Amino acid sequence: MQDLLIDTSDRVLTLTFNRVDKKNSITTAMYAALAEALVSAQSDDGVRAIVIQGHETVFSSGNDISDFLTRPATSPDMPVFRFLKAISTCAKPIVAAVCGPAVGIGTTMLLHCDLVYAGDNAAFSMPFVNLGVCPEAGSSLLAPQRMGYGRAAEALLLGEPFTAEAALEMGLVARIVPPSEANALAQRQARKLAAKPTQALMAAKRLMKQGQADLLQQRIAEEGVLFGELVRQPAAREAFGAFLEKRQPDLTKF
Ligand code: COA
């Protein structure tokens, strides 16, 4: 079975995380497939809107930890960076449906989506500091803007998770629905977008985003360098090692 399902119908490209047994954690191969699908969609007149969705029990637990420890992202042409470039510069509207855990990049990728619909079981978290690393995907720029600095500090410094209701209040999420309805709602909304005049739609998205397009790319690159340095440090090795060994990390000495 494929870990990422890719389907286009009614001019909507749907990318579905399909690795539920591993909580939809994202491998290098999945990043490569995501990046390729998003880049192709840019020039495909048959695609006018994009949906990113998971399962009603889990959106994504973020990077596949064992995969990214064995294949660290060291250069800008690595799949994770190609995915970040593609999602953060995508000219076409992106709708996300999020249920259950959305950890790390499972949350930060949503900052690049235009409409986010959450199941009432959604649990967002960006525990980068707790893992000995730093925010990624432009979240150090976008989260304070979207959530306000105080909420972003709770999420990014303390690493505290937040609920669908909190995400709605912050404006990260547009609507909360029962988990069984989230993917269907995202599909309906994407079809509405796909039926709109596409040049006008893309112009509206571009105008809303263009104020800091260069700054965002610069920040994603800067975060990537720092993340790459930190992930090699003892604190991150302990945190990720503990997860793989199914024990509590001891970060008190770092
Ligand atoms: N990378 C690799 N494997 C992961 C994973 C990840 N990010 N998240 C979950 N898995 C695997 C687990 O190792 C486990 O595998 P196993 O069945 O072979 O033992 C399986 O998915 C189920 O995960 P489990 O932790 O038992 O599920 P849970 O319901 O108790 O908890 C989460 C769900 C998402 C809260 C928890 O899995 C988690 O915290 N994951 C790590 C999140 C993270 O730190 N991401 C990295 C951010 S940079």
Side-chain angles (χ1 to χ4, degrees):
M1 188 173 304
Q2 287 179 323
D3 293 338
L4 180 75
L5 304 179
I6 301 176
D7 171 72
T8 303
S9 54
D10 299 335
R11 300 187 291 191
V12 174
L13 167 69
T14 301
L15 305 171
T16 306
F17 298 124
N18 187 40
R19 196 172 179 243
V20 176
D21 58 328
K22 296 290 180 188
K23 301 291 168 186
N24 285 341
S25 52
I26 308 174
T27 60
T28 306
M30 290 164 74
Y31 280 124
L34 284 162
E36 193 187 321
L38 289 171
V39 169
S40 305
Q42 292 273 46
S43 55
D44 182 349
D45 290 342
V47 173
R48 289 174 164 224
I50 296 155
V51 171
I52 300 179
Q53 62 186 19
H55 185 262
E56 64 183 65
T57 60
V58 60
F59 180 64
S60 172
S61 64
N63 283 310
D64 180 299
I65 289 172
S66 43
D67 185 69
F68 103 115
L69 288 179
T70 48
R71 293 186 194 81
T74 45
S75 71
D77 61 346
M78 294 290 282
V80 63
F81 292 123
R82 284 195 277 120
F83 165 65
L84 290 179
K85 178 84 186 287
I87 194 170
S88 62
T89 59
C90 186
K92 297 181 180 177
I94 305 177
V95 183
V98 183
C99 299
V103 187
I105 201 163
T107 288
T108 58
M109 74 169 76
L110 304 172
L111 295 163
H112 302 284
C113 296
D114 301 290
L115 296 169
V116 180
Y117 297 108
D120 55 22
N121 62 346
F124 303 88
S125 61
M126 300 184 281
F128 302 111
V129 169
N130 299 346
L131 295 166
V133 291
C134 67
E136 37 73 312
S139 56
S140 64
L141 177 70
L142 299 177
Q145 288 176 348
R146 190 74 76 89
M147 303 159 70
Y149 188 86
R151 290 283 188 74
E154 282 193 327
L156 285 173
L157 303 185
L158 282 174
E160 287 194 347
F162 52 97
T163 61
E165 284 78 15
L168 180 70
E169 198 195 317
M170 291 167 195
L172 177 63
V173 156
R175 204 187 303 175
I176 301 173
V177 292
S180 59
E181 294 171 20
N183 287 3
L185 174 60
Q187 291 293 331
R188 281 200 306 280
Q189 299 298 77
R191 276 163 177 71
K192 278 191 214 166
L193 290 167
K196 296 192 183 296
T198 193
Q199 295 303 324
L201 186 62
M202 290 199 293
K205 174 166 176 168
R206 189 175 64 248
L207 288 164
M208 287 200 287
K209 300 260 184 186
Q210 76 182 14
Q212 59 177 9
D214 293 342
L215 177 62
L216 177 58
Q217 293 311 311
Q218 199 182 312
R219 183 64 63 88
I220 290 173
E222 204 178 321
E223 291 170 343
V225 170
L226 275 173
F227 191 106
E229 286 169 13
L230 287 166
V231 82
R232 293 182 182 82
Q233 299 295 316
R237 289 214 305 272
E238 166 62 11
F240 289 115
F243 176 79
L244 295 176
E245 291 161 20
K246 298 189 186 296
R247 61 175 173 81
Q248 284 301 313
D250 177 8
L251 298 174
T252 51
K253 54 184 178 290
F254 301 110

